[in-house]
Amino acid sequence: MPEVIRSGAVRLLINIAFFQAGWLICVIVSNEVAALAGFALVGAHLVLVSQRPAHEALFIGLGTLLGSLMDGLWFWLGVLVSPEPYSGLIPVWLVALWALFLTTPGHSLAWLAAHRRLVFLLSPVAGAFAYWSASQLGAVELRAPLLGLLAIGMGWLLLFPLFLSWSQHLLREPAAS
């Protein structure tokens, strides 16, 4: 079994690379194969990057559940529409995308914890922008783009500060011995 990477800078770069690659795969391919690739990247993150894999797996699982419920609401209300049929609450590639995203609050986005005001300014904009980008790539459709993006932004305004706070408590690296 590979050893966890010790260098914080290398772990940060891997976290960024895994998330960006996973986002592109999930959004461009947007099917079950993309979901498998996304979940594989989450697994690789837990093995190579995470300093507390059990805690982080719990964090990712809980966050993925909440994010998927929020997206399920958007699909149910017609804010988001899938161009492809799917079974379940939301398309499985989107569940994988949530899991991938939740690898970032404890790593590449952890710096935001020291800038709480910035969290509340950036999260609705960045969250909505990600969905708009996915819609431009054909992964989802926004029925009423302006209202939909406002609703999605408000959802991110609620969820991301919560995720960041949870990550600071659950993923705090163990003290060196």
Side-chain angles (χ1 to χ4, degrees):
M1 182 170 198
E3 189 173 317
V4 174
I5 295 167
R6 299 275 179 234
S7 167
V10 172
R11 289 193 334 259
L12 183 70
L13 289 172
I14 290 171
N15 177 249
I16 291 167
F18 281 5
F19 173 70
Q20 291 301 321
W23 190 91
L24 282 171
I25 291 166
C26 285
V27 170
I28 291 172
V29 179
S30 58
N31 64 19
E32 291 80 7
V33 173
L36 286 174
F39 288 125
L41 286 169
V42 171
H45 166 87
L46 289 171
V47 170
L48 298 172
V49 175
S50 183
Q51 299 295 292
R52 303 189 76 190
H55 288 87
E56 193 159 4
L58 175 64
F59 169 71
I60 291 168
L62 290 172
T64 298
L65 176 63
L66 280 177
S68 296
L69 288 172
M70 183 177 73
D71 280 352
L73 176 65
W74 303 143
F75 278 97
W76 183 71
L77 292 174
V79 171
L80 292 175
V81 177
S82 176
E84 300 294 325
Y86 64 95
S87 60
L89 183 65
I90 64 173
V92 68
W93 64 265
L94 197 48
V95 176
L97 196 50
W98 273 108
L100 281 161
F101 172 74
L102 284 151
T103 66
T104 65
H107 301 279
S108 57
L109 295 181
W111 65 273
L112 282 167
H115 305 282
R116 289 292 182 179
R117 289 184 183 148
L118 200 53
V119 169
F120 291 101
L121 291 172
L122 289 180
S123 60
V125 175
F129 181 73
Y131 287 77
W132 177 82
S133 299
S135 75
Q136 297 304 296
L137 293 169
V140 294
E141 296 173 16
L142 290 160
R143 282 281 157 91
L146 182 58
L147 286 175
L149 291 173
L150 285 172
I152 290 166
M154 292 304 100
W156 275 82
L157 182 62
L158 294 172
L159 284 186
F160 185 68
L162 177 67
F163 293 155
L164 195 58
S165 178
W166 283 359
S167 73
Q168 295 305 300
H169 295 299
L170 286 172
L171 307 180
R172 193 171 302 130
E173 289 191 20
S177 43

